[in-house]
Structures are given as structure tokens and as C-alpha cells.
Amino acid sequence: MESRMFYKFALYGFLKNLRFFDPFLILFFRETGLSFLQIGILIAVRDISTNILEIPTGIYADAFGRRKSMVMALISYIVSFLIFFWLPNYFFFAGAMVLFGLGEAFRSGTHKAMILEYLRIQNMESKKVEYYGRTRAASELGSAVSSVVAAALVFYSGSYKYVFLAAVIPYVVNLINLATYPEELDGGVPLRW
């Protein structure tokens, strides 16, 4: 029988991949009147932001804990989704892309480190491939469900922007899920300045 934490980890992966906007991001930008050049610049802003912010967010995770880092990631995502929905303007979109990149930087590798820390604490390190693989399966299920739900949202609403509003819901639920993770998963000793 799987531990309660396994289901929390799997739920995180499932909810994280309910990114309803993924298949429609470029179409959303086109719907708002952006050119392909502008869209390319926005995607570059997101990717550059993610890369630049990797080191400071890693320091934050070390200093304040992995759970807080994950919470910051989800809050960054949620704010970016709300900007995309409520503020259809190129410059606001650029800010939302920076926030999305910040979320990616906070999140990258952090949850996996929490899973590995849990396995270490439980003396189950020999099962890490199977355990992590099974949590990844939940993530992949989330991706599959996301595509179907996103297509239905776009079909019934007639607009691409509602996929951002819908994405807020699983991310808020994931914030609640992360709040129930034990403190021991935060990692090693915080940095002392």
C-alpha cells in the first residue's frame, strides 16, 4: 500500500500539469492581435527569465526551504495567469512571462528534491526510480486531461483567454496540497548570512 505522501506527490504532479493554456498559447496571443515577432519575443522573455532566475531561486530554496519555494512558484504562476486573462496588453504579457519564468525557476527540481528527501527519510532510496516514475505517471495523466479540458473550454467559450482563468483553480488546490507537506521535506540546514 502506498503512503499518504505518495498520493500528495502524485496529486501535485497531476495538478501542476493542468496547464490548459499550453496547446493554445500562440493562438491566444494571435487572438489578442500580436504579431509572430511579438510572440517570439514574449517566449524569449519567459525562457531568459527562467534561466537568469535559476540561481537566486535556488538560493531562496536553500535559505527558506523547499516548501516556501514551491509556494512562491505557484503564486508566480497564478499571478501570471490572471494577468493574461485580465490585462490583454503586450507589456503586461511581458510581465506575466517574467512571472511565469520566475515560477519555473522556483519549481525546477524542487519537487523532485522533496520526493527524494522523503525517500531518504523513509529509508526507501532503493525504490526511487519506481516511486518517482509512478508520480510522473500522474503528471502525464494531468497533461492528457489538460488537453481535453482545454479543448472543451475553448470550444464552448469561443475564446482562448478562459484557459488561463481555468488554470488558476488546480494551482490554488495545489497550494493547499503543498501546505500539507511535512516540514522535514524542506531540505538541509538553511543558509546563515
Side-chain angles (χ1 to χ4, degrees), residues 15-191:
L15 293 170
K16 171 193 63 90
N17 280 14
L18 293 180
R19 294 164 69 147
F20 305 124
F21 55 88
D22 264 357
F24 301 111
L25 185 61
I26 292 173
L27 295 173
F28 164 74
F29 286 142
R30 292 294 292 158
E31 180 181 67
T32 63
L34 299 185
S35 69
F36 286 111
L37 175 63
Q38 290 173 311
I39 294 167
I41 291 170
L42 288 176
I43 291 170
V45 164
R46 179 193 65 196
D47 292 347
I48 290 168
S49 298
T50 301
N51 289 324
I52 290 173
L53 295 169
E54 284 284 343
I55 292 174
T57 56
I59 292 169
Y60 180 93
D62 289 342
F64 298 105
R66 294 176 185 141
R67 290 177 308 146
K68 286 181 181 161
S69 183
M70 292 299 296
V71 166
M72 294 300 292
L74 291 175
I75 290 170
S76 295
Y77 288 134
I78 290 167
V79 173
S80 75
F81 299 160
L82 293 173
I83 290 171
F84 284 125
F85 181 77
W86 290 108
L87 302 169
N89 173 284
Y90 183 72
F91 294 104
F92 284 116
F93 288 166
M97 284 298 214
V98 170
L99 285 171
F100 191 88
L102 178 64
E104 291 285 279
F106 268 122
R107 182 193 60 77
S108 74
T110 306
H111 195 260
K112 183 176 184 179
M114 293 172 87
I115 293 172
L116 296 175
E117 181 72 10
Y118 173 77
L119 293 174
R120 186 192 63 75
I121 291 167
Q122 298 298 315
N123 200 24
M124 296 170 45
E125 291 174 290
S126 64
K127 298 185 183 264
K128 67 182 172 189
V129 172
E130 176 188 350
Y131 197 92
Y132 186 70
R134 293 183 66 209
T135 62
R136 285 293 304 148
S139 298
E140 295 305 317
L141 178 61
S143 295
V145 169
S146 178
S147 296
V148 173
V149 171
L153 279 169
V154 170
F155 180 76
Y156 287 109
S157 72
S159 176
Y160 297 109
K161 76 178 194 170
Y162 292 101
V163 294
F164 291 101
L165 193 58
V168 168
I169 297 166
Y171 278 64
V172 168
V173 173
N174 229 354
L175 273 172
I176 296 165
N177 180 41
L178 281 166
T180 67
Y181 280 24
E183 190 175 318
E184 61 192 6
L185 300 183
D186 272 337
V189 179
L191 296 175

